[in-house]
Amino acid sequence: AQSVAQPEDQVNVAEGNPLTVKCTYSVSGNPYLFWYVQYPNRGLQFLLKYITGDNLVKGSYGFEAEFNKSQTSFHLKKPSALVSDSALYFCAVRDGSGGGADGLTFGKGTHLIIQP
Amino acid sequence: DTGVSQDPRHKITKRGQNVTFRCDPISEHNRLYWYRQTLGQGPEFLTYFQNEAQLEKSRLLSDRFSAERPKGSFSTLEIQRTEQGDSAMYLCASSFMAAGNTIYFGEGSWLTVV
C-alpha cells in the first residue's frame, strides 16, 4: 500500500521569507510524486511533479520541490513567500512501477498561512 | 482546453434521496477519476475509468454508489439512498493514460445531506 504523510497541519511564514511544506511518502515501487494547491471551496490545482531525472523540480508560481530518495521525502519550497500563497497544500504519490492503486494517494494537507 | 467541468457545484438533498453528479473531462483525456474529500482530509480515491471501462473501484465505493462513463467521454456518479455520512465534496479528474501524466481536477461538487 502507498501512503503520504504531511506532518504539519499548519505552517506560518512571514511574507518575503522562504517557505517549506514537508512531505514524506511510502510506496513499494518507483515513486511518482505530485503537489497540488487548493483554495477555499475550489478544486485542486496542479503545482509540480517528480517522475524521474533531476531531484529538484520547478513548478508553477515559483514553487519547487526536492526529491530525496534516501529520506523518502518530497518537500515543497519557495524562496520568497507571498500572501497570495496562503492556501491548503496536498502532497500525493502514485506507484510508477504499475503496482498498487492507479489513482493518486494524498496526504491530509498542510494549511500554509503567509503573514503580511 | 476548458478544463474538467463538474455539475452541479452544490447539491443539498434529504437523507434517503438519490443524487447524480456529472463530470466532463478535458477533451481527449482517456482516463477519468472520481475522488471524495471531507473536511480536514485529503481527497480519497473512489474509482477510475479508462475510456468507457471502469478499471478499479475503492472499498470506499459502497453498493449505493455507481459510476458510469458510457461513451468514454463524460461520466456520472450516482449515490442512492443518501446518508449524512455521504456529505462531502466529490472531485472528478482526468488525464492521459501514462502513469506519469498529470491528473487535472475539476472544481468539485459539494453534497450536503440533511
Side-chain angles (χ1 to χ4, degrees), chain B residues 47-59:
Chain B
T47 187
Y48 91 94
F49 293 82
Q50 185 165 302
N51 300 313
E52 66 275 11
Q54 188 173 17
L55 296 187
E56 189 171 348
K57 291 193 285 189
S58 161
R59 57 180 170 75

Side-chain angles (χ1 to χ4, degrees), chain B:
Chain B
D1 179 359
T2 57
V4 178
S5 177
Q6 293 189 243
D7 183 69
R9 292 291 317 280
H10 302 273
K11 178 73 176 179
I12 300 174
T13 191
K14 291 182 178 179
R15 189 176 54 182
Q17 298 294 305
N18 299 344
V19 296
T20 299
F21 300 110
R22 176 182 169 121
C23 172
D24 288 272
I26 294 172
S27 58
E28 299 179 354
H29 277 185
N30 50 12
R31 284 197 170 171
L32 186 148
Y33 304 80
W34 286 100
Y35 285 79
R36 181 175 70 186
Q37 184 180 17
T38 54
L39 283 174
Q41 300 295 322
E44 296 172 295
F45 171 75
L46 292 178
T47 187
Y48 91 94
F49 293 82
Q50 185 165 302
N51 300 313
E52 66 275 11
Q54 188 173 17
L55 296 187
E56 189 171 348
K57 291 193 285 189
S58 161
R59 57 180 170 75
L60 294 175
L61 209 67
S62 76
D63 55 7
R64 296 185 297 104
F65 287 70
S66 63
E68 294 182 344
R69 194 184 184 196
K71 298 184 179 179
S73 57
F74 74 93
S75 175
T76 58
L77 176 69
E78 181 183 18
I79 309 173
Q80 296 182 325
R81 306 181 303 281
T82 52
E83 302 172 356
Q84 287 188 323
D86 297 331
S87 295
M89 182 160 70
Y90 291 85
L91 290 159
C92 179
S94 70
S95 75
F96 289 111
M97 190 172 69
N101 282 324
T102 300
I103 297 177
Y104 293 95
F105 285 81
E107 292 292 328
S109 292
W110 276 105
L111 174 64
T112 302
V113 182
V114 297

